[in-house]
Amino acid sequence: MLQDVLEKVTSENIDDHLFDLYTTRAPSEEHHLGYVDRSSDNITVTLEKTGIDLIIKQSLSAFNSSKQPSSTGYVCWQTSIYLADWLLGDPKCPLKFLLDKKPTILELGAGSSGILASVLGPLSSTYIATDHQKHLCRLSRLNTEENVQGKVTFLDVDTPALVPNFGGSTPSIRFMEYDWEGRNALSVLNPVLNTFPHLILASDTIYNEYLIPYFVHSVAEILGPYTVAVVGVQLRDESIIEMLLECFLDSNLCVYSVPTSLLSEKLQRGFAIYCITQ
């Protein structure tokens, strides 16, 4: 199905693909680095196509702290907003079928905003939001509890490993600490997942070269025969996107790009969406 509507990225066409991205999808000036608002710890964001308003608590002190090894997750970024709105509210989106049958969803690098967990968690059987810092996971849960619509069961980062709620009537949303750099995705996540997820989500998680091998290794380990990883990126440094795609291809994974015509107006200016499969 994916290969029928998406553009396959290969070692042979990667240069043409990147040239097309950075010439036809140049970001607008308003995107700056991609954060939403660094003026307040409390902001409101709107998913324009779905009309959903979300109240997000950020931590600007943690974001600006020199003591944090990685602080980007403490503020809200545009990619998550546009990705969520496109998946839910854009009739052109070719990935809606991934949400049809209450999938098991694993989010990597969720950060603190809880945007994807808030709007996609209720559509899943189990949603697992992960990040490398426990405090980020706790803030993500607070934001998700504030914004989620419908009945869900919340499982905290300290909840013992449980078998997911496959096929249950009430979706469960879990928040847990997971660090890609440990390179042990299966041993950490298997007690929680107990099987391969249907959908892996990663939104604006790659912003330097160091992270790429660890991220790709984790995705490759977690992918099952029916899993689709949806990776949303903002078009900043072209060499970073190139390295990410090459690393996926070197891992013998299939890489598909969503063509411009199927993206929302927001995503068409400065963003790319990739689907990764075995």
Side-chain angles (χ1 to χ4, degrees):
M1 294 180 63
L2 291 177
Q3 57 267 33
D4 295 335
V5 293
L6 305 186
E7 298 171 349
K8 189 167 187 178
V9 179
T10 67
S11 299
E12 290 73 28
N13 70 9
I14 190 171
D15 290 340
D16 291 338
H17 168 70
L18 290 168
F19 178 81
D20 181 63
L21 278 187
Y22 282 85
T23 53
T24 64
R25 296 194 207 168
S28 60
E29 292 184 2
E30 67 185 30
H31 286 159
H32 39 79
L33 292 176
Y35 56 82
V36 175
D37 186 340
R38 287 172 56 183
S39 65
S40 174
D41 277 338
N42 299 286
I43 64 174
T44 299
V45 301
T46 299
L47 276 59
E48 294 180 358
K49 290 186 176 298
T50 55
I52 298 174
D53 292 324
L54 303 172
I55 300 171
I56 306 296
K57 181 175 179 58
Q58 308 182 118
S59 178
L60 296 180
S61 60
F63 179 73
N64 294 315
S65 173
S66 60
K67 297 180 180 179
Q68 293 288 346
S70 176
S71 60
T72 56
Y74 285 98
V75 295
C76 182
W77 297 85
Q78 293 171 332
T79 312
S80 294
I81 299 171
Y82 301 155
L83 175 61
D85 204 28
W86 177 67
L87 286 170
L88 284 177
D90 196 319
K92 300 190 304 295
C93 177
L95 306 182
K96 291 181 179 294
F97 73 96
L98 296 173
L99 302 172
D100 284 347
K101 297 182 179 180
K102 293 178 69 68
T104 303
I105 302 175
L106 174 69
E107 184 179 359
L108 298 175
S112 62
S113 69
I115 289 173
L116 292 172
S118 296
V119 299
L120 300 182
L123 304 179
S124 69
S125 60
T126 299
Y127 192 105
I128 304 171
T130 71
D131 210 293
H132 72 301
Q133 294 181 39
K134 186 171 290 187
H135 185 62
L136 284 172
C137 296
R138 294 192 184 284
L139 193 52
S140 180
R141 171 168 178 163
L142 288 174
N143 281 322
T144 305
E145 287 181 330
E146 174 72 27
N147 292 303
V148 73
Q149 300 292 319
K151 185 178 181 181
V152 300
T153 299
F154 285 99
L155 300 176
D156 210 345
V157 291
D158 296 322
T159 303
L162 297 172
V163 176
N165 182 36
F166 296 118
S169 58
T170 303
S172 63
I173 303 178
R174 180 189 178 98
F175 304 85
M176 65 175 289
E177 193 175 5
Y178 167 59
D179 187 354
W180 313 329
E181 294 179 39
R183 299 183 69 88
N184 57 347
L186 290 179
S187 63
V188 173
L189 296 171
N190 265 353
V192 180
L193 284 169
N194 202 35
T195 187
F196 295 110
H198 299 98
L199 180 59
I200 298 171
L201 295 174
S203 176
D204 212 1
T205 56
I206 299 300
Y207 43 85
N208 65 49
E209 293 181 352
Y210 173 79
L211 294 171
I212 292 174
Y214 300 105
F215 174 74
V216 171
H217 176 81
S218 293
V219 172
E221 272 204 310
I222 302 164
L223 279 175
Y226 49 79
T227 307
V228 178
V230 177
V231 180
V233 296
Q234 183 172 348
L235 301 180
R236 300 184 184 96
D237 188 337
E238 182 176 344
S239 66
I240 299 295
I241 306 299
E242 181 178 17
M243 182 177 174
L244 175 65
L245 298 177
E246 289 177 343
C247 200
F248 276 129
L249 294 172
D250 289 344
S251 299
N252 296 316
L253 299 175
C254 296
V255 180
Y256 300 93
S257 174
V258 179
T260 304
S261 61
L262 297 180
L263 293 175
S264 65
E265 295 82 358
K266 294 288 189 181
L267 288 173
Q268 287 177 10
R269 293 298 306 273
F271 300 89
I273 306 295
Y274 295 101
C275 292
I276 314 299
T277 64
Q278 282 189 345

